[in-house]
Amino acid sequence: MCGIVGFIGNQNAKEIILNGLTRLEYRGYDSAGLSLFNNRYQIFDVYKDEGRVQKLIDSTLNAPFSNIGIGHTRWATHGKVNQENSHPHYSQTRRFIIVHNGVIENYQQLKDQYLSKSNFTSDTDTEVIAQLIETFAQTLHVENAITTTLKLLHGSYALLVLDSNDPEKIYAAKYKSPLIVGHSESGITIASDLMALVGYSDTYHALEDKSFVVARREDVKIFNLDHVPLDIKFKPIELDDSDTTKGDYPHYMMKEIHEQPSVIRRIITNYYDKEQSLIKPEILSVMRDSDRIYILAAGTSMHAGLVGKQLIERLTSIPVEVHIASEFAYQNPLISKNPLFILVTQSGETADLRACLVSINERNYRSLTITNVPTSTLAREATYFLELYAGPEIAVASTKAYVAQVSVLAILAYELSTKSFDLKKEMSIAATSMEHFLESEKILDIVRLFLTRRNCFFIGRGLDYCVGLEAALKLKEISYIQTEGFAAGELKHGTIALIEDGTPVIALISDPKINGNTRSNLKEVQSRGAYTFHIVTESCKRDGDEVILEDVHPLLTPLVMVVPTQLIAYYAALERSYDIDKPRNLAKSVTVE
Ligand code: AGP
């Protein structure tokens, strides 16, 4: 969940690292730190404190030039958010300086077994790694000291290590947490996300688990933990500045909401050549042959999975179960004879999902990861993977990835069906309808009118219920308003007790068949004082409805219905002056269980 950037070469490492950390700050923003070589004193200086990267930029304004350095943005797991626990951490004599993303599960045991005489300055699991390397380096060559340490670690890590005795190298290693090596004429950049490399590297290599890297100014070598050299396959970086910056938008979230129509169009282009689907036939036949599909995911991706279940079950005869990844991983649910597991994940790094995939692979089941990051762990470790083509999603609150996930699941469902309609055409209509809404939306006025309370409900039925769950997550995630997504008909079975004068209840209605039922549920809450607000499609509209969206194909309504709810969340957070792109306590990719 943390962001890591290191650079060695013939340029100013500070600038490259700080720019990289700024781009990776969405991965964690409890603290930021940097280590640079001080040529005058021949030591690595360490600058670190709680707070954002901007604070680090300010505090390193006068740092001397260094061509080597490592940096980190933290999402705290072990130890409070404070200066001591910020990365980089150092070993006792300060010979080794390290930054780490991941969790070392056996750190206490390692501390007791090997480091009883060492003094610790932080509460982190990371410091144990630095101390172990130093301990082993007393008798071993530094590279062996590092790999000996790595072999003792249980858990996950992406690591960068500096050795004060040899300021001409950065060592790096990875297990479960992502790490990417970038290359250009001017040097080697190593980071936890491709975005940090844009503008500084021309090509990249995504490291495999248990790789050990020795990077020097002029070259990089990669080994396994037994020092056997591994192949390096550098690929061109295809992202550019427009993918990593906000452009004219005030926040990444707003930019990403507005990108949604083009994401749908990009998916159509990447998944179809004229009428021909470009999905590997093997994936479709495995799906067709499976007796049950298990969709596993977390958060927003799980909500997209709920929509996917309805689409697959409405268009095919394959039963689908949707499971929250963290629950599925350790509950041993009964599995059918011939299952297919679909892992839906924007980042491809979610630890709860990885735990599921490890056990799926151990049991030799087939799996398909649908992800936005083709280099991610879950893309690489599943039997098959499909890309979301949403482009980098930087706001912590997921928007365009949800739309991409629903779109790809819709394509899969459709390709397994009798194809009774033209999906490509219907998806294009949905994209255009989204655009029409975004051009003229007045959600801010509406939000000002009634979202002043500290609680809120979204209600809907069928696909609208799935969207309501996602709408509620979005609103609570960035505006901190306590919100529930509820099946409209279920409210009266208990939860209606929470409705008071002025409680906002937002209804989502896109299915004419159940329009009347949801309207009755609205009457029930109105008569108990609720302030109701209606988001409906044209064919469901009635007098007084506040947001009316153009009709789209009945299976694609989640694509358009979700957009006003994303804006409600956005404006509610804006009105409260909260940090929209980096909400409190969160981080973009959740790489701890
Ligand atoms: C949504 O806004 C969240 N940030 C979160 O729920 C997210 O969808 C979840 O953590 C799953 O992440 P993934 O899609 O990268 O696996």
Side-chain angles (χ1 to χ4, degrees):
M1 311 197 29
C2 308
I4 287 180
V5 189
F7 176 79
I8 180 162
N10 49 27
Q11 284 197 346
N12 187 356
K14 182 181 87 169
E15 184 204 309
I16 294 170
I17 295 168
L18 288 177
N19 279 338
L21 291 181
T22 305
R23 292 182 196 161
L24 299 194
E25 199 171 27
Y26 72 113
R27 298 180 71 93
Y29 31 88
D30 289 331
S31 65
L34 171 66
S35 181
L36 297 168
F37 193 63
N38 186 321
N39 279 293
R40 187 163 169 209
Y41 298 109
Q42 293 291 297
I43 54 162
F44 279 105
D45 290 327
V46 171
Y47 310 82
K48 61 177 188 174
D49 207 349
E50 62 181 278
R52 300 286 171 93
V53 175
Q54 186 55 49
K55 191 167 164 190
L56 182 65
I57 294 173
D58 297 342
S59 65
T60 53
L61 270 181
N62 299 321
F65 177 92
S66 167
N67 75 317
I68 177 172
I70 58 176
H72 187 269
T73 60
R74 176 174 187 238
W75 188 83
T77 57
H78 292 65
K80 283 196 174 134
V81 176
N82 58 25
Q83 201 265 350
E84 292 73 27
N85 292 331
S86 309
H87 296 226
H89 290 283
Y90 13 68
S91 56
Q92 189 149 322
T93 65
R94 299 207 169 200
R95 175 176 168 189
F96 293 100
I97 294 107
I98 78 170
V99 293
H100 165 223
N101 172 24
V103 171
I104 305 307
E105 287 155 11
N106 59 338
Y107 82 102
Q108 189 58 49
Q109 193 188 321
L110 293 170
K111 214 168 165 176
D112 297 344
Q113 194 173 343
Y114 296 94
L115 303 167
S116 52
K117 296 203 180 79
S118 306
N119 294 325
F120 283 81
T121 57
S122 79
D123 309 316
T124 63
D125 50 343
T126 302
E127 195 182 347
V128 170
I129 307 173
Q131 303 277 31
L132 279 173
I133 295 172
E134 179 163 293
T135 305
F136 293 130
Q138 286 162 12
T139 50
L140 296 174
H141 180 269
V142 59
E143 293 184 14
N144 289 330
I146 295 174
T147 51
T148 302
T149 302
L150 296 175
K151 286 179 184 173
L152 293 175
L153 305 180
H154 295 170
S156 55
Y157 56 80
L159 276 180
L160 299 181
V161 182
L162 296 171
D163 178 1
S164 305
N165 291 356
D166 183 3
E168 298 289 321
K169 289 188 187 114
I170 297 179
Y171 302 98
K174 146 187 167 79
Y175 182 61
K176 290 189 185 175
S177 301
L179 202 59
I180 293 169
V181 178
H183 177 268
S184 79
E185 287 286 286
S186 50
I188 306 293
T189 311
I190 309 176
S192 38
D193 195 314
L194 209 50
M195 281 203 306
L197 308 185
V198 175
Y200 301 113
S201 299
D202 305 321
T203 54
Y204 75 97
H205 169 88
L207 291 170
E208 294 291 334
D209 273 350
K210 299 193 179 171
S211 301
F212 170 58
V213 178
V214 182
R216 300 187 306 163
R217 174 194 298 248
E218 63 283 6
D219 66 10
V220 59
K221 294 204 169 81
I222 304 180
F223 307 91
N224 67 16
L225 297 191
D226 295 317
H227 301 271
V228 177
L230 300 175
D231 281 350
I232 310 181
K233 294 180 201 116
F234 281 113
K235 292 187 196 158
I237 295 177
E238 277 155 11
L239 298 177
D240 60 35
D241 257 7
S242 64
D243 293 307
T244 61
T245 55
K246 289 195 283 245
D248 293 334
Y249 291 94
H251 299 97
Y252 282 107
M253 184 179 178
M254 195 50 130
K255 178 186 178 218
E256 288 159 8
I257 288 172
H258 279 261
E259 282 173 348
Q260 295 180 115
S262 54
V263 167
I264 296 179
R265 295 191 183 107
R266 199 180 314 140
I267 287 173
I268 299 174
T269 317
N270 280 291
Y271 276 84
Y272 286 98
D273 178 11
K274 300 203 176 80
E275 297 317 310
Q276 190 57 43
S277 144
L278 298 173
I279 299 174
K280 260 192 195 163
E282 198 185 333
I283 296 180
L284 294 174
S285 74
V286 165
M287 282 184 82
R288 212 172 271 123
D289 293 346
S290 63
D291 59 359
R292 189 166 287 256
I293 290 173
Y294 296 81
I295 296 182
L296 312 179
T300 291
S301 301
M302 200 275 290
H303 297 149
L306 292 172
V307 174
K309 168 186 164 70
Q310 298 214 20
L311 303 187
I312 297 170
E313 289 187 342
R314 287 190 204 183
L315 288 174
T316 76
S317 53
I318 310 168
V320 181
E321 288 181 22
V322 182
H323 291 266
I324 294 173
S326 55
E327 283 299 302
F328 187 89
Y330 300 105
Q331 300 307 321
N332 289 328
L334 286 178
I335 303 296
S336 66
K337 282 208 176 78
N338 191 21
L340 172 69
F341 293 88
I342 300 185
L343 293 87
V344 183
T345 169
Q346 189 283 130
S347 62
E349 300 293 346
T350 299
D352 293 327
L353 266 182
R354 177 105 197 287
C356 296
L357 188 55
V358 166
S359 102
I360 290 166
N361 286 344
E362 275 167 9
R363 294 153 85 181
N364 285 324
Y365 290 133
R366 279 160 309 181
S367 55
L368 162 65
T369 292
I370 300 177
T371 182
N372 206 23
V373 186
T375 54
S376 64
T377 309
L378 292 165
R380 282 183 283 127
E381 293 184 355
T383 324
Y384 312 103
F385 96 91
L386 289 172
E387 189 172 346
L388 290 171
Y389 297 107
E393 190 181 63
I394 295 167
V396 166
S398 182
T399 54
K400 62 177 179 171
Y402 170 87
V403 157
Q405 289 162 345
V406 169
S407 302
V408 171
L409 287 164
I411 291 174
L412 285 174
Y414 178 79
E415 288 303 317
L416 297 172
S417 76
T418 54
K419 303 192 181 171
S420 56
F421 62 100
D422 181 347
L423 179 70
K424 273 170 53 192
K425 186 171 139 221
E426 298 299 341
M427 284 174 65
S428 304
I429 291 172
T432 308
S433 133
M434 263 182 193
E435 250 158 19
H436 290 164
F437 168 71
L438 285 168
E439 278 158 18
S440 57
E441 55 93 1
K442 295 197 175 54
I443 297 288
L444 177 59
D445 301 342
I446 296 161
V447 164
R448 280 193 177 136
L449 266 183
F450 80 104
L451 267 185
T452 51
R453 308 282 295 224
R454 62 168 307 279
N455 63 348
C456 178
F457 289 89
F458 281 92
I459 62 168
R461 289 166 178 256
L463 287 170
D464 292 330
Y465 167 45
C466 302
V467 176
L469 293 173
E470 170 55 13
L473 174 61
K474 212 86 312 166
L475 185 58
K476 62 188 141 189
E477 185 178 17
I478 60 169
S479 77
Y480 319 142
I481 296 172
Q482 192 156 7
T483 315
E484 278 196 68
F486 234 83
E490 183 65 9
L491 211 56
K492 58 185 177 289
H493 295 287
T495 307
I496 200 165
L498 297 176
I499 304 293
E500 300 172 341
D501 263 353
T503 304
V505 177
I506 302 173
L508 302 166
I509 311 177
S510 67
D511 182 350
K513 292 196 296 301
I514 41 181
N515 187 0
N517 307 57
T518 306
R519 300 276 176 182
S520 305
N521 303 133
L522 279 171
K523 290 271 178 257
E524 291 154 14
V525 293
Q526 278 161 357
S527 51
R528 283 154 183 89
Y531 187 109
T532 64
F533 174 73
H534 311 160
I535 300 172
V536 306
T537 49
E538 185 68 34
S539 53
C540 292
K541 80 170 177 209
R542 294 200 185 160
D543 285 350
D545 289 340
E546 286 85 354
V547 172
I548 296 152
L549 298 157
E550 290 168 8
D551 278 325
V552 297
H553 190 278
L555 292 178
L556 299 182
T557 56
L559 294 177
V560 293
M561 293 295 280
V562 79
V563 183
T565 72
Q566 296 167 339
L567 291 170
I568 287 173
Y570 176 88
Y571 288 122
L574 190 71
E575 283 293 278
R576 286 162 175 72
S577 307
Y578 291 147
D579 188 339
I580 292 181
D581 289 332
K582 299 190 189 85
R584 70 183 180 205
N585 303 340
L586 293 173
K588 183 69 180 166
S589 68
V590 185
T591 53
V592 293
E593 280 186 52

